[in-house]
Amino acid sequence: MIHFVGAGPGAADLITLRGHRLLTQADVVIYAGSLVNPELLKYTKPSCRIYNSASMTLEEVVSVMRQAEKEQQMTVRLHTGDPSVYGAIREQMDLLDKYSIAYDVVPGVSSFCGAAAALNAEYTLPGVSQSVIITRMAGRTPVPEKEEIALLASHQATMVVFLSTGMLEQLSERLLAGGYPADTPAAIVYKATWKEEKVCRCTVASLAQTANTHNITKTALIIVGNCLGDAYDRSMLYHPAFSHEFRKGTDS
Ligand code: SAH
């Protein structure tokens, strides 16, 4: 059996209890070397065979999984953050289906949640935004035209931009073209929850300059929107006047 496990955003103790248990039991671990904290590998048993997928192709990864299956061993495929976000797990699962190998997925704390924690931010602030757009600039992986940053920016929802730290001039330009005022609050969070974490608050217009000043070129998320500002409405859920299933408010 193969278990796709979310390693969490960085800090080793942010993996789930289930993910940790599977790591301690694994005969084979294939981890995404560029972003998974190597400290997590200390949880494995001494006989566990460990592969870094950074230098492997999809076919090589699946071939290691097939060999482990033949030997009736258990494999953990360790992905950074949550495997469903830019994790390239679907292509692995489709190949495993082809070879009739069973698998499941253990979710993880995505780095966009790690970044919110680093910022003490609430992405879905009442009266500001009730949606979070997770996106990226096009790189070698193209982005569908309908998801172009300026089109998404026109919603003025909270945006979390992955995989784009090297393109911040263009990102600012597309965000401004989409209608964000230049002084809209933004932030760059580098290596959220790692020891090296850096949190830089700035504006939509000053993203590139801020990254330059702090020497940030990769492993960062860009957060954009007025959820990083000061104005919002208080919640209905905890309002004294508001009644709901579990509480009688002064309105009834
Ligand atoms: N599945 C992962 C994302 C993988 S894509 C998740 O759920 O977080 C890799 C990109 O994620 C990086 O280029 C960077 O933009 C972002 N990223 C991953 N870990 C990060 C961290 N700890 N802090 C900031 N950004 C991170």
Side-chain angles (χ1 to χ4, degrees):
M1 174 109 188
I2 315 292
H3 301 280
F4 291 92
V5 174
D13 59 353
L14 284 176
I15 192 169
T16 63
L17 290 174
R18 188 183 301 179
H20 174 264
R21 178 175 55 76
L22 289 169
L23 263 187
T24 62
Q25 295 169 350
D27 303 300
V28 175
V29 169
I30 310 170
Y31 73 106
S34 54
L35 279 172
V36 166
N37 189 338
E39 265 185 47
L40 285 168
L41 303 175
K42 291 188 194 146
Y43 298 143
T44 58
K45 55 190 187 190
S47 61
C48 179
R49 280 181 289 143
I50 296 175
Y51 297 83
N52 179 351
S53 64
S55 60
M56 296 162 79
T57 62
L58 167 64
E59 288 72 15
E60 286 166 344
V61 166
V62 173
S63 145
V64 169
M65 292 172 172
R66 289 180 76 192
Q67 187 56 38
E69 281 304 293
K70 257 189 219 150
E71 294 166 23
Q72 298 199 321
Q73 295 185 324
M74 188 269 264
T75 300
V76 164
R77 174 69 168 113
L78 197 56
H79 281 274
T80 177
D82 183 81
S84 71
V85 182
Y86 305 111
I89 55 166
R90 174 63 190 270
E91 59 191 22
Q92 297 174 66
M93 297 193 289
D94 282 349
L95 277 182
L96 293 175
D97 284 342
K98 188 173 141 193
Y99 297 121
S100 303
I101 295 174
Y103 55 83
D104 65 8
V105 182
V106 180
V109 178
S110 178
S111 59
F112 83 91
C113 300
L119 288 159
N120 293 329
E122 179 174 346
Y123 287 148
T124 54
L125 265 187
V128 177
S129 173
Q130 291 292 288
S131 311
V132 183
I133 297 175
I134 289 173
T135 189
R136 60 171 298 169
M137 293 283 280
R140 265 173 298 178
T141 305
V143 170
E145 237 171 71
K146 287 183 183 155
E147 296 173 27
E148 205 273 308
I149 296 278
L151 292 176
L152 299 180
S154 68
H155 296 282
Q156 311 261 305
T158 301
M159 287 179 79
V160 183
V161 187
F162 281 71
L163 295 159
S164 304
T165 320
M167 292 173 266
L168 294 183
E169 292 280 4
Q170 299 97 301
L171 176 63
S172 279
E173 189 266 314
R174 297 321 294 155
L175 290 168
L176 295 170
Y180 276 113
D183 61 354
T184 305
I188 304 173
V189 180
Y190 170 75
K191 290 200 112 178
T193 80
W194 291 71
K195 282 195 199 79
E196 310 90 301
E197 174 183 286
K198 284 185 203 169
V199 177
C200 308
R201 292 177 189 266
C202 58
T203 64
V204 165
S206 65
L207 281 170
Q209 184 204 326
T210 305
N212 252 341
T213 309
H214 297 273
N215 264 324
I216 299 173
T217 55
K218 57 177 190 173
T219 327
L221 288 173
I222 313 305
I223 294 91
V224 179
N226 283 318
C227 75
L228 300 177
D230 297 325
Y232 63 94
D233 298 335
R234 67 172 288 175
S235 69
M236 294 305 289
L237 190 62
Y238 296 105
H239 197 288
F242 186 72
S243 297
H244 59 76
E245 196 183 346
F246 301 108
R247 186 169 59 80
K248 204 167 159 47
T250 53
D251 63 345
S252 53

